């Protein structure tokens, strides 16, 4: 990535983010009660966020199956979060390579990397505590992610970061308040929401700075690449293996999830602010919109 000296306004914003990180950050190893027993009646996420909620299949499921499904769904989403946080860390580190170490922009970027490393460990430990193994993206997505982290630059890199953070942020704001949700999920969601809010501000700030003065051709290309990255992230959030884990017929469950308008509506509402921001930067082109529509982001 090619970096430039941060503008005065950007420098001030980064310093405020640094100050916020110093004043309000969490250590998951002590903030989360890892030894608390898991209530068998508590869900992994708010039932309304389950991919099957509102379907005929959901109505047929027992309470125990619903609990198991939502726990595996949240573990899958956390696993996808770890996958993309590893991509994110490498992109930000590459972006800041040999930048001015005295600048708040550089220092907050490294603070973000440290946060993401803690978050990945936190999610991994939460899945282990729930007794659920890792879920992985599709092989093709893993290969695309390997390429994306190696070549994505400027607004494309930070656009991919923003997409992942915005979508998960809306979900977790609900989960952290869910009285029926496992305390371990509520607490890890709260930690992630608070610290990711700074990361989202940083990503928006970087995107505005990097896209300024860009040609229409570059904006069209960047819009397309960000949309493809978003498609890969969202389409891998819930692994198809979660349905078999809940004792469901995978083929029927996958078909029900794909046709579930309730879940599609939730996804579209969670992406509304993201789409407004991309449109503001000229990154919501017709080809990009078609891609977002495929995964119910718009």
């Amino acid at each position: 990535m090619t970096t430039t000296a941060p503008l005065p306004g950007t420098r001030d914003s980064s310093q405020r983010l640094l100050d916020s990180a110093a004043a309000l950050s969490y250590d998951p190893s002590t903030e989360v009660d890892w030894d608390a027993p898991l209530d068998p009646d508590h869900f992994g996420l708010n039932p309304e966020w389950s991919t099957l909620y509102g379907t005929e299949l959901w109505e047929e499921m027992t309470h125990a199956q619903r609990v198991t499904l939502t726990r595996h769904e949240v573990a899958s989403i956390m696993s996808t979060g770890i996958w993309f946080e590893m991509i994110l860390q490498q992109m930000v580190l590459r972006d800041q390579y040999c930048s001015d170490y005295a600048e708040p922009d550089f220092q907050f970027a490294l603070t973000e990397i440290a946060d993401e490393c803690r978050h990945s460990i936190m999610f991994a430990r939460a899945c282990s505590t729930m007794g659920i193994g890792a879920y992985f993206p599709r092989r093709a997505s893993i290969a695309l992610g390997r390429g994306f982290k190696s070549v994505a630059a400027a607004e494309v890199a930070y656009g991919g970061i923003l997409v992942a953070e915005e979508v998960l942020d809306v979900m977790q704001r609900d989960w952290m308040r869910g009285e029926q949700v496992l305390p371990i999920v509520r607490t890890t969601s709260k930690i992630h929401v608070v610290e990711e809010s700074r990361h989202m501000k940083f990503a928006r700030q970087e995107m505005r700075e990097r896209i300024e003065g860009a040609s229409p051709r570059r904006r069209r290309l960047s819009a397309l690449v960000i949309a493809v990255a978003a498609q890969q992230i969202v389409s891998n959030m819930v692994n198809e293996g979660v349905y078999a884990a809940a004792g469901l017929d995978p083929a029927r469950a996958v078909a029900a999830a794909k046709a579930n308008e309730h879940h599609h509506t939730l996804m579209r509402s969670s992406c509304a602010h993201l789409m407004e921001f991309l449109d503001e930067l000229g990154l919501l082109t017709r080809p990009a919109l078609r891609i977002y529509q495929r995964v119910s982001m718009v």
Side-chain angles (χ1 to χ4, degrees):
M1 293 184 186
T2 301
T3 59
T4 57
L7 301 172
T10 301
R11 186 179 296 113
D12 292 343
S13 178
S14 295
Q15 185 58 58
R16 287 194 293 273
L17 292 174
L18 270 174
D19 294 342
S20 174
L24 187 59
S25 290
Y26 297 98
D27 180 358
S29 65
T30 56
E31 291 289 337
V32 182
D33 187 354
W34 298 106
D35 297 322
L38 303 181
D39 189 321
D41 286 328
H42 280 170
F43 297 96
L45 44 76
N46 290 52
E48 293 80 6
W49 277 100
S50 172
T51 55
L52 294 182
Y53 183 85
T55 66
E56 288 184 11
L57 182 53
W58 178 267
E59 296 303 321
E60 296 172 14
M61 293 166 61
T62 65
H63 177 73
Q65 282 181 308
R66 293 173 180 177
V67 167
T68 299
L69 175 63
T70 57
R71 291 188 185 189
H72 278 264
E73 284 177 320
V74 80
S76 178
I77 292 169
M78 287 179 175
S79 293
T80 302
I82 294 170
W83 169 60
F84 199 78
E85 282 175 347
M86 293 182 73
I87 293 173
L88 180 161
Q89 291 172 62
Q90 293 177 71
M91 289 194 300
V92 174
L93 192 60
R94 182 161 51 82
D95 181 56
Q96 295 296 328
Y97 179 69
C98 282
S99 294
D100 187 341
Y101 307 146
E103 289 289 346
D105 199 50
F106 171 83
Q107 293 173 30
F108 182 77
L110 264 63
T111 300
E112 177 169 344
I113 292 169
D115 287 347
E116 298 296 4
C117 188
R118 289 200 317 276
H119 295 165
S120 293
I121 296 170
M122 175 178 75
F123 288 154
R125 190 171 178 182
C127 291
S128 296
T129 301
M130 289 188 288
I132 301 173
Y135 282 104
F136 296 101
R138 297 181 296 273
R139 287 186 179 182
S141 299
I142 292 173
L144 285 171
R146 194 181 301 278
F148 185 73
K149 72 179 178 59
S150 300
V151 301
E155 70 277 355
V156 170
Y158 286 99
I161 290 169
L162 185 62
V163 164
E165 292 171 342
E166 286 269 7
V167 173
L168 193 53
D169 179 74
V170 177
M171 295 180 182
Q172 290 185 317
R173 285 181 185 274
D174 271 359
W175 303 347
M176 61 189 266
R177 294 188 290 265
E179 295 182 0
Q180 304 176 76
V181 176
L182 285 169
I184 191 174
V185 175
R186 295 179 65 180
T187 306
T188 55
S189 294
K190 174 186 173 182
I191 292 171
H192 201 246
V193 163
V194 170
E195 297 185 347
E196 290 293 334
S197 66
R198 294 190 287 263
H199 302 177
M200 290 188 289
K201 290 177 184 176
F202 186 65
R204 291 191 193 99
Q205 150 188 317
E206 291 294 320
M207 288 181 73
R208 286 193 179 97
E209 183 178 335
R210 307 299 177 90
I211 199 71
E212 187 175 355
S215 67
R217 181 178 179 277
R218 174 175 159 182
R219 287 177 193 267
R220 289 194 297 271
L221 180 59
S222 294
L224 187 61
V225 176
I226 293 170
V228 170
Q231 180 188 38
Q232 294 301 313
I233 295 165
V234 172
S235 66
N236 278 289
M237 276 191 163
V238 178
N239 189 290
E240 294 182 2
V242 304
Y243 305 117
L248 304 173
D249 174 12
R252 185 187 174 197
V254 168
K258 286 182 177 178
N260 188 357
E261 187 54 37
H262 169 79
H263 193 260
H264 298 336
T265 300
L266 278 181
M267 285 299 299
R268 283 192 289 270
S269 64
S270 71
C271 296
H273 293 303
L274 171 64
M275 294 300 138
E276 289 174 7
F277 178 72
L278 293 176
D279 191 32
E280 175 192 330
L281 298 189
L283 296 172
L284 200 57
T285 60
R286 287 184 181 178
L289 270 171
R290 286 195 288 270
I291 294 172
Y292 290 127
Q293 287 169 344
R294 291 175 198 163
V295 285
S296 301
M297 293 181 69
V298 67

